[in-house]
Amino acid sequence: MLNFVNDYSEGACPEVLQRLVETNMEQLPGYGTDKYTRSAQAKIAQACGKPDAQVFFISGGTQTNQIVISTVLQQYQGVVAADTGHVNVHEAGAIEAGDHKVLSIPGVDGKLPAPALREYLETFWADENHEQMVFPGMVYISWSTEYGTLYSKAELEELHNICREYEIPLYIDGARMGYGLVAPGADVTLPDIANLADIFYIGGTKVGALCGEAVVFPKGDAPQYFSTLIKRRGGLLAKGRLLGVQFDTLFTDGLYTRISHQAIDTAQVIRKALQNKGYEFYIDSPTNLTFVVLENQRMAELKQKVNFDFWERKDASHTVVRFATSWATKMEDAQALADLL
Amino acid sequence: MLNFVNDYSEGACPEVLQRLVETNMEQLPGYGTDKYTRSAQAKIAQACGKPDAQVFFISGGTQTNQIVISTVLQQYQGVVAADTGHVNVHEAGAIEAGDHKVLSIPGVDGKLPAPALREYLETFWADENHEQMVFPGMVYISWSTEYGTLYSKAELEELHNICREYEIPLYIDGARMGYGLVAPGADVTLPDIANLADIFYIGGTKVGALCGEAVVFPKGDAPQYFSTLIKRRGGLLAKGRLLGVQFDTLFTDGLYTRISHQAIDTAQVIRKALQNKGYEFYIDSPTNLTFVVLENQRMAELKQKVNFDFWERKDASHTVVRFATSWATKMEDAQALADLL
Amino acid sequence: MLNFVNDYSEGACPEVLQRLVETNMEQLPGYGTDKYTRSAQAKIAQACGKPDAQVFFISGGTQTNQIVISTVLQQYQGVVAADTGHVNVHEAGAIEAGDHKVLSIPGVDGKLPAPALREYLETFWADENHEQMVFPGMVYISWSTEYGTLYSKAELEELHNICREYEIPLYIDGARMGYGLVAPGADVTLPDIANLADIFYIGGTKVGALCGEAVVFPKGDAPQYFSTLIKRRGGLLAKGRLLGVQFDTLFTDGLYTRISHQAIDTAQVIRKALQNKGYEFYIDSPTNLTFVVLENQRMAELKQKVNFDFWERKDASHTVVRFATSWATKMEDAQALADLL
Amino acid sequence: MLNFVNDYSEGACPEVLQRLVETNMEQLPGYGTDKYTRSAQAKIAQACGKPDAQVFFISGGTQTNQIVISTVLQQYQGVVAADTGHVNVHEAGAIEAGDHKVLSIPGVDGKLPAPALREYLETFWADENHEQMVFPGMVYISWSTEYGTLYSKAELEELHNICREYEIPLYIDGARMGYGLVAPGADVTLPDIANLADIFYIGGTKVGALCGEAVVFPKGDAPQYFSTLIKRRGGLLAKGRLLGVQFDTLFTDGLYTRISHQAIDTAQVIRKALQNKGYEFYIDSPTNLTFVVLENQRMAELKQKVNFDFWERKDASHTVVRFATSWATKMEDAQALADLL
C-alpha cells in the first residue's frame, strides 16, 4: 500500500533521532533552559538574520497557534484569517478556547487576498458601531498554505504594509515552512519571512521532527514571561531538551531545508504524471501537497492501492483528493504512484 | 430633532415603571427568589402554553447569549448562525470569551436558510476529519432578525426539523420578539415559538423594560444550577426583583404585545411614506426596523432633522440607513418623519 | 416579621427612583454615552478629588470584580485576597471563569494583614521556581469588608505602600463603601480611597440603587476600550441611562453618604441592645453588619419573628448570625429588634 | 558535579528510545489512531485489571491536569485539593485558564486528610448560600505526592468512600506513580488505584519517557469526543505514535515498574546516609524525593559539588532542601552523595 495521506506518517528524520540517542543520558536542566535549547535558539536566530530574535519551542501547531494568538492579542481583538485557514477550520475550537474570535475573510487558493484584507480593515474602522464588534488585532496566514500554495514576496510585502498601516502584527503559521522555502518558483527566504512577519513559527512536526514547533519573535518583543504563558496553556515540556535537541539538529548545516527538498522532488514526479495523463488539477500548488480531481470510479480503484486524503466532493461523479509528500517520501513510492495514475 | 436611531432610546414603558415604584419598599429576598419573579415566571410559562417551562431573567441580551451558548453547548461544539447574526457581529467577542466558536453561514435577508443549514450539517458529518473541527452543537437565529425580517412558521418548522434530525437545540434570540409577534403577516405565536425552539429569550430591553431578558427553556430542561451559572458569568442581579417586577408587569393583561403594536403602527406610517415617494427599500421588513437606500445628499439634509442609523455604504452616491421605531415612538413623530421624507 | 437578612431587600432609595421616573421618556443615546452618565462620571470624579478619573458603570458587583480583575491583570498573574474575601468565596467561580486565580492569604477579621501580604510577596519573588507559579499581580480588599470591619487610613497606607513597592495595583471592592465612609471611628474619606487605591468601585446595589456599581480608575488609566471589554463580558447595558441616572442622583448633594447614615444609626441601636444584654459579639464591626453569637434555642425563638442570616456554626450549642441594616432600615424596626433581643 | 535536582534530567529510558528508533520509519496514521497507541492502551487497561478502561495520551502533566479538570467538571464546580497540591501551586494558572477554581484545604505531609475533606463537603452543602459559591466537584490528590509521601490503601479507600458519598470523582495525579508503586511499605497496586480512583494518570515524563502521560478512565466513562477535547486544549500530537510507542514499551514486560525500583534504591542509600549522620528529615518520605533540613553553611558547601533543589527557608540558619532520584540515577552517584553528606 502506497501512502500519501499526510506529511506526518513517519517519526523523525534519522539525523534528528540519532542526536536524541546521543544526548539521551546527559543531565540537563528542565523547561527549555538546557544548552541544546539555547543553541537551537541561537541557530534559528542566525538563520533568520535576526540576532535579537526570541525563539520558543512548543509541542504542536494547534498549541502554538492558541498560545501566540491568545497572548499577543488584546482582549477586545480577534485574528483575521482566510476562511480556509487552519485556525478557522481544523483546530477543534482551540482559538476560541483561548477566548478569541477568528475573523474570517473568503480566501482565494488558500490565501488571504490583500485587497480583501484592506477592505475589511477600512470597513471595520469606518463603522460607527465598531466598539460593539471584535477588533481586528492580528493577521494570520500560513506559508505554505493548507492548499499547498505560496504567497510571493510581493504579496507578503503587501500584507506586511497593510499590517504596518493598521498597526497590527502579521503572524505566519509555518507548519510547512520548509516545503515552501525550497519549492520551485518560491522567491521568499527565511530572512524575508523574519523581515516581513512580526511573529511566525517554523514547523518541526511536518518537517523532520517527532514533534515541536519553533515560535520566532524576530524583533525580540515576545510577551513578558512567555515561558510561563506557555506553561499556563499546558505547552511547556519538562524535558524541553526534546524540542531543543531536535531543532538544534534541524538547524545545523542546513538540515531543515535539505530534507525539505525530498518532499518537493517527489511531489514533482506525481504532478508531472498527473499532468501528462490529463488529470484536472483542483489548484496549482508548487509545494508538497497536490490537489487533483478524480472521477469517482477511478478514485475507488486507486484507493485499493494508495492511501490519500479525501478533500471535498466536486460534483456527483467527481471528488477532489490530496496527495501529500514529505521529507520521508521515497522516490520509488512517488514513481509507483505516478505509474498507477 | 426626530429620533429613529434605535429601539432603546427611552426608559421603561410607564406601566412597568409605575409597578417598580409601587413595589419599591417591599422587603424581598434576593437573587430571583422573590414573589414577583416567581409570578413573572409563571405568567410567561402560561403565555407560552408550557406549564413546565423554566424561566430565568438576565440583565441584557449579550449576557444572555453568552450564558445560554456557553452553558448549553458541549465544549467540542460551536453555534451555527447566519453571518449577519448578532452573535457573529455585534457582541464584542462575548461568545468567544465564553469559549465557543460561531460557525457562520451566509445569511439571506438576515435569515439562516434551511437548505444551507442542512448542507452545512451534512458536510460536517461526512468529513472524515470532523473530529479535528468544531462540531455544530446549536442553531442560533433571531426572531425578528437584525434586518427586521421574520421567519414564517413553515420556515421555523423546517429549521426545527433539521435540528431534531441532527439532535441539536434550536435557540431563538428574541431581543425584538414582541415586534415580530404583532407584525403584519406574521403567522407565528408565542406558543409556536415555545413549540419550535428548544431555548429562546423574550427581550425586555427593547420592548418596554429598563433592562432584562427572559430566557425560556420550554421543556424545563435548563442546565443544572442555572442561577449559579448566571452568577458565574456576572449576570445575576442581587435585586432580582428589578427584572421580576418588570416582566411580571409586561406579562399581565397582554401588556408586552399591546405596547409592541405601537412600534409596528409607526413603522407602517414611515414605510408607506417611503413607498409613496418612490424610495428604494434595501430589504422588505414587516417589523419595527426599516432599511432604505438614500442618495447621499438627501441623507445629509435629513440628518439635520432626524437621528437615524447608518447601515452601510451602497455605492459612491448612495447609503443604506435604518429607521427604528419602538413601543415609545409617538405617532406624531412618525408622521413628522413621513412628511420630511 | 422583621427583616435584617441582608442589605439589598428593598428597591432604590426614593430620590433615585423619582429621578428615573422624571427622565424616563427622554430620548437618550445608548451604552453609557448619555448626558446623565456623563454627569454622574463628572460628579464622582469630583467627589474623589480626581478630575482625571475615569468612571464606568457596571450592572453588579460580581460582574465588576470579574471584569476589573480579568482586564487589569496580565495572563500570568492572579489576584491576592484574604481567604474571606468575596472574590474567594461568594462569586460562584466568576474570577476563574475570567481565567484568573485568587491567591488567598488567611484573613484577620475579614481584613488582609499587611505583614502577611508582604511575606507572601517576598516569598514568591524569592522562590527559584516562581515562573511555574501564578504571579501576584493585584491586591484585592473590600472596604468595608464582608465582616463589617474597616481598614484604618494607616492600614490602607501600608497596603498601598507594599503595592507601590511591588508595582502591583491595589483594588478596593466598595460594595458597601457608603457604610464605611460614615461609620463611627472611620478615618478614611472618598478622596483618601481615591489616593490609596489604583482601582475601586463604589457600590450602588447595596447603597441606594436598584442595581449598578461605579468603577473608578482615579489616575485615568483604565484599560483601552474598557466599554468594549465590559460588553465582551456581558456587563454593558444598552440603556446605560439606568445606571447613569441613578449614580447622578446618588452623587448630587451628597445623597450617597446621607442615606448611608441610616444603616449605621440603626445598626448602632441593635449593637447597643446586644451589648447591654450581654451577648457575645463574633467580631467588632462599626458598619452596617453585626455579627453575634446566639445560643441555638434563643436563635430558634428569634427566627420566629426576625429574618437574619446564618453565618456559621460556632459549637454544638451556639451559632454565629448576622444582622444587616441598610439605607432603607426603619429606626422603628431596629428598635423592635432591640426590644426582642 | 552530582545531580539530584529533579527527576526529569535525562531523556528516555534506553528501551523506550530504542523502540522509537526501531519503529521510526513505519508509516502510521496520526492523532493516536496508530497500532502502537492501541497496543499501549490495551496493555495499560490490562495492567489496571480494567478491560473496559479508556486510555488517552497527553504530552505533559500540567496539560493533563488542565484537560481532565476542565472537561470532567461541571461549570459550577471546582476541584478540591491539598493546598500543597501541584494544581494549586505549580501549574502557572493552567487550571484557572481552564476556567475552574482550586478549592484548597490545608494539607498534611502533602496529603489531603480525609476528615478535613469530609468537613469541607459537609460545610459546603449545609451552607444556605452555597449556590453563590463554587461547588466541590472533584477531589484531586497526587500519588506519590509532591512531598514524596504516599496514601495507604486504607487512606485511599476513605477518600474513595467520601467521594462516593458525595458523588464526585476522585482524580489521582500519578506523575510519579511508578515510584510510589515500588516504594517500601507501599500497600497499593495499580489495580487498587484503578479501583479506587475514577480518573488517574500514569506519569511518563518523570518515569522513563521523553514526554507524555497516560490518562485512564478505568470505568470507560471518558467525556465524549475526548480526543477532540484534548486537541482543543492543544494537547493532541499529530504524531501520536511518539506517545504510543513509549507507553507500549513501558507497559511491556513490566518495564515501567522495573525501572522505578532504581529511583527507590538510590533514594534509600541517600536516606540511610542522612539518618546515620544525624540529619533532621523535614518529612518522612518513602519514595524518590528526600527532604532534609540543612544548616545554611553546610548547604553552601554541598552546593559546590551537588545540584539539589531549594525547598523552603526553615529559619534564619537552616533551609529545607530536596534530593530527587529517578529511574536514571546511578547507584555510584547516590553513593558519592552519601559519602559527601
Short mmCIF file of all heavy atoms in Angstrom, two decimals, chain B residues 256-282:
data_model
loop_
_atom_site.label_atom_id
_atom_site.label_comp_id
_atom_site.label_asym_id
_atom_site.label_seq_id
_atom_site.Cartn_x
_atom_site.Cartn_y
_atom_site.Cartn_z
N TYR B 256 -47.17 43.19 27.08
CA TYR B 256 -45.99 43.03 26.21
C TYR B 256 -46.37 43.17 24.73
O TYR B 256 -45.74 43.89 23.98
CB TYR B 256 -45.34 41.67 26.47
CG TYR B 256 -44.03 41.45 25.73
CD1 TYR B 256 -42.87 42.10 26.13
CD2 TYR B 256 -43.96 40.59 24.64
CE1 TYR B 256 -41.66 41.89 25.46
CE2 TYR B 256 -42.76 40.38 23.97
CZ TYR B 256 -41.61 41.03 24.39
OH TYR B 256 -40.43 40.83 23.72
N THR B 257 -47.40 42.44 24.33
CA THR B 257 -47.77 42.55 22.91
C THR B 257 -48.52 43.85 22.64
O THR B 257 -48.38 44.43 21.58
CB THR B 257 -48.64 41.35 22.46
OG1 THR B 257 -49.60 41.06 23.47
CG2 THR B 257 -47.77 40.11 22.27
N ARG B 258 -49.27 44.33 23.62
CA ARG B 258 -50.04 45.56 23.39
C ARG B 258 -49.11 46.73 23.05
O ARG B 258 -49.33 47.44 22.08
CB ARG B 258 -50.88 45.87 24.63
CG ARG B 258 -52.12 46.67 24.31
CD ARG B 258 -53.13 46.62 25.44
NE ARG B 258 -52.67 47.29 26.65
CZ ARG B 258 -52.56 46.71 27.85
NH1 ARG B 258 -52.87 45.44 28.01
NH2 ARG B 258 -52.16 47.41 28.89
N ILE B 259 -48.06 46.88 23.85
CA ILE B 259 -47.16 48.01 23.57
C ILE B 259 -46.35 47.78 22.30
O ILE B 259 -45.88 48.73 21.67
CB ILE B 259 -46.18 48.29 24.74
CG1 ILE B 259 -45.26 47.09 25.00
CG2 ILE B 259 -46.95 48.69 25.99
CD1 ILE B 259 -44.16 47.38 26.01
N SER B 260 -46.22 46.51 21.90
CA SER B 260 -45.45 46.24 20.69
C SER B 260 -46.14 46.81 19.45
O SER B 260 -45.47 47.20 18.48
CB SER B 260 -45.24 44.73 20.52
OG SER B 260 -44.42 44.23 21.56
N HIS B 261 -47.47 46.85 19.47
CA HIS B 261 -48.21 47.37 18.30
C HIS B 261 -47.78 48.77 17.90
O HIS B 261 -47.73 49.11 16.73
CB HIS B 261 -49.72 47.37 18.59
CG HIS B 261 -50.35 46.03 18.43
ND1 HIS B 261 -50.53 45.42 17.21
CD2 HIS B 261 -50.82 45.14 19.36
CE1 HIS B 261 -51.10 44.24 17.38
NE2 HIS B 261 -51.30 44.04 18.67
N GLN B 262 -47.44 49.58 18.90
CA GLN B 262 -47.10 50.96 18.60
C GLN B 262 -45.86 51.03 17.68
O GLN B 262 -45.80 51.88 16.78
CB GLN B 262 -46.81 51.72 19.92
CG GLN B 262 -46.47 53.18 19.77
CD GLN B 262 -47.67 54.03 19.36
OE1 GLN B 262 -48.80 53.54 19.35
NE2 GLN B 262 -47.42 55.28 19.00
N ALA B 263 -44.93 50.16 17.91
CA ALA B 263 -43.72 50.14 17.07
C ALA B 263 -44.07 49.81 15.62
O ALA B 263 -43.51 50.39 14.68
CB ALA B 263 -42.72 49.12 17.61
N ILE B 264 -45.00 48.88 15.46
CA ILE B 264 -45.39 48.46 14.11
C ILE B 264 -46.23 49.54 13.42
O ILE B 264 -45.99 49.90 12.27
CB ILE B 264 -46.20 47.14 14.18
CG1 ILE B 264 -45.34 46.05 14.86
CG2 ILE B 264 -46.65 46.71 12.78
CD1 ILE B 264 -44.01 45.78 14.20
N ASP B 265 -47.17 50.10 14.17
CA ASP B 265 -48.05 51.12 13.58
C ASP B 265 -47.24 52.31 13.09
O ASP B 265 -47.49 52.84 12.00
CB ASP B 265 -49.08 51.58 14.62
CG ASP B 265 -50.06 50.46 15.00
OD1 ASP B 265 -50.08 49.42 14.29
OD2 ASP B 265 -50.77 50.60 16.01
N THR B 266 -46.28 52.74 13.89
CA THR B 266 -45.48 53.89 13.48
C THR B 266 -44.54 53.52 12.33
O THR B 266 -44.32 54.33 11.41
CB THR B 266 -44.69 54.45 14.67
OG1 THR B 266 -44.03 53.36 15.37
CG2 THR B 266 -45.62 55.15 15.67
N ALA B 267 -44.02 52.31 12.35
CA ALA B 267 -43.15 51.88 11.24
C ALA B 267 -43.94 51.84 9.93
O ALA B 267 -43.41 52.20 8.87
CB ALA B 267 -42.53 50.51 11.55
N GLN B 268 -45.18 51.44 10.02
CA GLN B 268 -46.02 51.36 8.81
C GLN B 268 -46.20 52.74 8.18
O GLN B 268 -46.19 52.88 6.96
CB GLN B 268 -47.41 50.80 9.17
CG GLN B 268 -47.41 49.40 9.72
CD GLN B 268 -47.36 48.33 8.64
OE1 GLN B 268 -46.38 48.28 7.90
NE2 GLN B 268 -48.39 47.50 8.59
N VAL B 269 -46.39 53.73 9.02
CA VAL B 269 -46.56 55.10 8.52
C VAL B 269 -45.31 55.53 7.75
O VAL B 269 -45.38 56.09 6.66
CB VAL B 269 -46.83 56.07 9.69
CG1 VAL B 269 -46.67 57.52 9.26
CG2 VAL B 269 -48.22 55.82 10.26
N ILE B 270 -44.17 55.20 8.32
CA ILE B 270 -42.90 55.57 7.68
C ILE B 270 -42.73 54.81 6.37
O ILE B 270 -42.38 55.38 5.34
CB ILE B 270 -41.73 55.29 8.65
CG1 ILE B 270 -41.86 56.18 9.89
CG2 ILE B 270 -40.39 55.53 7.95
CD1 ILE B 270 -40.96 55.78 11.03
N ARG B 271 -43.01 53.52 6.42
CA ARG B 271 -42.82 52.71 5.20
C ARG B 271 -43.76 53.14 4.09
O ARG B 271 -43.39 53.17 2.92
CB ARG B 271 -43.01 51.23 5.53
CG ARG B 271 -41.76 50.64 6.16
CD ARG B 271 -41.73 49.13 6.05
NE ARG B 271 -42.61 48.52 7.03
CZ ARG B 271 -42.23 48.12 8.27
NH1 ARG B 271 -40.98 48.28 8.64
NH2 ARG B 271 -43.09 47.58 9.08
N LYS B 272 -45.00 53.47 4.46
CA LYS B 272 -45.95 53.90 3.44
C LYS B 272 -45.44 55.18 2.78
O LYS B 272 -45.49 55.33 1.54
CB LYS B 272 -47.34 54.13 4.06
CG LYS B 272 -48.41 54.36 3.04
CD LYS B 272 -49.81 54.19 3.61
CE LYS B 272 -50.09 52.75 4.05
NZ LYS B 272 -51.43 52.60 4.68
N ALA B 273 -44.94 56.12 3.58
CA ALA B 273 -44.42 57.37 3.02
C ALA B 273 -43.25 57.09 2.09
O ALA B 273 -43.15 57.67 1.00
CB ALA B 273 -44.00 58.30 4.17
N LEU B 274 -42.36 56.23 2.52
CA LEU B 274 -41.20 55.91 1.68
C LEU B 274 -41.63 55.31 0.35
O LEU B 274 -41.12 55.67 -0.72
CB LEU B 274 -40.29 54.90 2.41
CG LEU B 274 -39.49 55.46 3.59
CD1 LEU B 274 -38.93 54.34 4.44
CD2 LEU B 274 -38.36 56.35 3.09
N GLN B 275 -42.62 54.43 0.44
CA GLN B 275 -43.12 53.76 -0.76
C GLN B 275 -43.78 54.77 -1.71
O GLN B 275 -43.48 54.80 -2.89
CB GLN B 275 -44.15 52.73 -0.31
CG GLN B 275 -44.38 51.62 -1.30
CD GLN B 275 -45.11 50.45 -0.64
OE1 GLN B 275 -45.60 50.60 0.49
NE2 GLN B 275 -45.17 49.32 -1.31
N ASN B 276 -44.63 55.59 -1.14
CA ASN B 276 -45.33 56.58 -1.96
C ASN B 276 -44.36 57.53 -2.66
O ASN B 276 -44.62 57.97 -3.78
CB ASN B 276 -46.28 57.41 -1.10
CG ASN B 276 -47.46 56.57 -0.64
OD1 ASN B 276 -47.73 55.50 -1.22
ND2 ASN B 276 -48.16 57.03 0.39
N LYS B 277 -43.28 57.81 -1.98
CA LYS B 277 -42.34 58.78 -2.56
C LYS B 277 -41.27 58.09 -3.42
O LYS B 277 -40.32 58.72 -3.85
CB LYS B 277 -41.73 59.62 -1.46
CG LYS B 277 -42.82 60.44 -0.74
CD LYS B 277 -42.30 61.32 0.37
CE LYS B 277 -43.50 61.98 1.08
NZ LYS B 277 -43.12 62.91 2.13
N GLY B 278 -41.44 56.78 -3.61
CA GLY B 278 -40.57 56.09 -4.55
C GLY B 278 -39.18 55.73 -4.06
O GLY B 278 -38.28 55.45 -4.85
N TYR B 279 -38.98 55.70 -2.76
CA TYR B 279 -37.66 55.30 -2.26
C TYR B 279 -37.43 53.82 -2.53
O TYR B 279 -38.38 53.03 -2.59
CB TYR B 279 -37.57 55.54 -0.75
CG TYR B 279 -37.36 56.99 -0.38
CD1 TYR B 279 -38.45 57.85 -0.19
CD2 TYR B 279 -36.06 57.50 -0.20
CE1 TYR B 279 -38.26 59.18 0.15
CE2 TYR B 279 -35.87 58.82 0.15
CZ TYR B 279 -36.97 59.66 0.33
OH TYR B 279 -36.78 60.97 0.68
N GLU B 280 -36.17 53.46 -2.63
CA GLU B 280 -35.81 52.05 -2.80
C GLU B 280 -35.58 51.42 -1.43
O GLU B 280 -34.74 51.89 -0.67
CB GLU B 280 -34.53 51.96 -3.64
CG GLU B 280 -34.01 50.53 -3.80
CD GLU B 280 -32.58 50.52 -4.40
OE1 GLU B 280 -32.07 51.60 -4.77
OE2 GLU B 280 -32.00 49.43 -4.47
N PHE B 281 -36.33 50.37 -1.13
CA PHE B 281 -36.09 49.65 0.12
C PHE B 281 -34.87 48.75 -0.03
O PHE B 281 -34.68 48.14 -1.08
CB PHE B 281 -37.30 48.81 0.52
CG PHE B 281 -38.45 49.65 1.02
CD1 PHE B 281 -39.47 50.06 0.15
CD2 PHE B 281 -38.50 50.06 2.35
CE1 PHE B 281 -40.51 50.85 0.61
CE2 PHE B 281 -39.55 50.85 2.81
CZ PHE B 281 -40.56 51.26 1.94
N TYR B 282 -34.10 48.67 1.00
CA TYR B 282 -32.93 47.78 0.98
C TYR B 282 -33.37 46.34 1.24
O TYR B 282 -32.80 45.39 0.72
CB TYR B 282 -31.95 48.24 2.06
CG TYR B 282 -30.78 47.34 2.29
CD1 TYR B 282 -29.82 47.14 1.31
CD2 TYR B 282 -30.62 46.69 3.52
CE1 TYR B 282 -28.73 46.30 1.53
CE2 TYR B 282 -29.53 45.86 3.75
CZ TYR B 282 -28.59 45.66 2.75
OH TYR B 282 -27.52 44.85 2.97
#
